[in-house]
Amino acid sequence: MIAAVTFDFWDTLAIDDSDEPKRAALNLPSKAEARVQLFVNRVTALHPHISRERAAEAYQRANQRFREDWHNNHRTPSVVTRLYYAYEYLGLEPAPGQYARLVREVDELAREIEAMEIRIQPDFVPGLHQTLQALSQEYRLGIISDTIHTHGRGLRYLLQRQGVLQYFSCFIFSDEVGASKPSPEIFRRAAVSLGFNPWNIVHVGDREENDVVGPRSIGMRAILFTGIVDRGSSRTRAHAVCRDFRQLPDIIRRLR
């Protein structure tokens, strides 16, 4: 019997990069460009001996190191950690007695980047409110999401602004638990938090490796969601495919 439902966040509940056209309409750079600009402006202002080109290169190197951690080690280091990667590449080690100043400098920059990520609300999937309300009457609901630039606090904020935070009783974000999908650890954490055996939980997400193979590895059921983007549903190992978020209650009922 299915007693709980967990969801991926990006391209399942919220449409990834749907805020980019809104930024363009406001004559704002893309988020990727804005991150680099924030980093370069702050670092070169505080450390004039570093060129803008070298600062930009350091940030790209930090991104590369992040991706290696994410894909190879199933971890998503925080924005703060990513900034320390860049500082390390630039050789910006704290001088004796200056460690607190460097920590403050990195923390302030991380807050700027994190705030920029959530300043403009992304679009959410059609039928979000009605579907979550209906599901919450029958199941406990949770979120299992990797955090790349928007940390767990930021995703909670977006859910709260959208008016759906109250439907969820479990939040498993990779920056908070030290593991990312498809690691079995992140799905076990969700099962423990929800208080059910894995086989009593169905996970809904858009990526085969992360949201189908991952939950199935510990005995959870999986629904591949293709309502925003279809990443190969013809070859999926999911127990079901959902093409419209509003169909979820019926699909889960059939799985029971």
Side-chain angles (χ1 to χ4, degrees), residues 4-209:
V5 184
T6 58
F7 297 87
D8 175 45
F9 186 86
W10 294 112
D11 284 340
T12 301
L13 301 178
I15 302 172
D16 197 12
D17 289 336
S18 56
D19 53 343
E20 292 291 10
K22 302 173 188 178
R23 294 181 62 85
L26 295 170
N27 292 320
L28 294 173
S30 71
K31 288 182 294 184
E33 293 169 335
R35 290 178 208 119
V36 176
Q37 288 178 9
L38 285 169
F39 180 80
V40 169
N41 291 343
R42 175 61 66 89
V43 167
T44 55
L46 294 174
H47 307 278
H49 67 285
I50 295 175
S51 69
R52 296 184 66 84
E53 293 75 17
R54 183 161 171 76
E57 180 185 0
Y59 196 79
Q60 298 305 332
R61 291 292 186 96
N63 282 339
Q64 181 181 349
R65 187 168 169 183
F66 171 91
R67 286 190 292 270
E68 289 171 356
D69 260 343
W70 183 22
H71 295 300
N72 299 335
N73 303 320
H74 298 157
R75 297 188 307 111
T76 56
S78 66
V79 173
V80 168
T81 301
R82 196 182 312 207
L83 293 176
Y84 278 120
Y85 290 164
Y87 269 56
E88 180 182 325
Y89 178 78
L90 291 170
L92 293 175
E93 304 292 338
Q98 296 296 311
Y99 181 75
R101 180 195 59 77
L102 184 67
V103 169
R104 186 168 59 251
E105 179 180 321
V106 170
D107 284 349
E108 288 174 356
L109 180 53
R111 284 197 296 273
E112 282 188 50
I113 292 173
E114 290 168 349
M116 182 272 298
E117 290 291 326
I118 60 175
R119 193 166 288 126
I120 298 175
Q121 180 99 347
D123 295 331
F124 281 75
V125 65
L128 179 75
H129 288 260
Q130 309 93 298
T131 302
L132 291 179
Q133 183 178 36
L135 290 172
S136 68
Q137 294 172 6
E138 296 187 62
Y139 314 100
R140 291 194 71 188
L141 305 184
I143 293 180
I144 305 174
S145 179
D146 286 355
T147 53
I148 311 307
H149 292 284
T150 310
H151 50 60
R153 294 192 311 277
L155 296 183
R156 287 185 182 88
Y157 174 75
L158 293 176
L159 290 165
Q160 183 179 41
R161 284 188 61 187
Q162 188 63 20
V164 296
L165 184 69
Q166 72 275 11
Y167 294 123
F168 300 97
S169 58
C170 164
F171 300 92
I172 306 296
F173 296 123
S174 61
D175 66 312
E176 297 176 355
V177 302
S180 63
K181 295 184 292 187
S183 169
E185 175 61 22
I186 201 166
F187 295 101
R188 291 194 190 102
R189 293 280 193 108
V192 170
S193 179
L194 288 164
F196 295 111
N197 290 315
W199 49 88
N200 296 129
I201 305 171
V202 61
H203 179 71
V204 183
D206 65 295
R207 294 182 179 273
E208 182 74 15
E209 185 70 18

Side-chain angles (χ1 to χ4, degrees), residues 197-247:
N197 290 315
W199 49 88
N200 296 129
I201 305 171
V202 61
H203 179 71
V204 183
D206 65 295
R207 294 182 179 273
E208 182 74 15
E209 185 70 18
N210 287 355
D211 300 306
V212 176
V213 176
R216 287 197 61 152
S217 70
I218 70 161
M220 291 170 64
R221 301 190 201 188
I223 296 174
L224 183 68
F225 180 64
T226 63
I228 296 172
V229 57
D230 189 335
R231 293 187 169 91
S233 59
S234 62
R235 302 180 300 276
T236 187
R237 295 177 54 201
H239 295 89
V241 174
C242 176
R243 305 190 188 283
D244 186 322
F245 200 77
R246 290 161 289 206
Q247 297 172 350

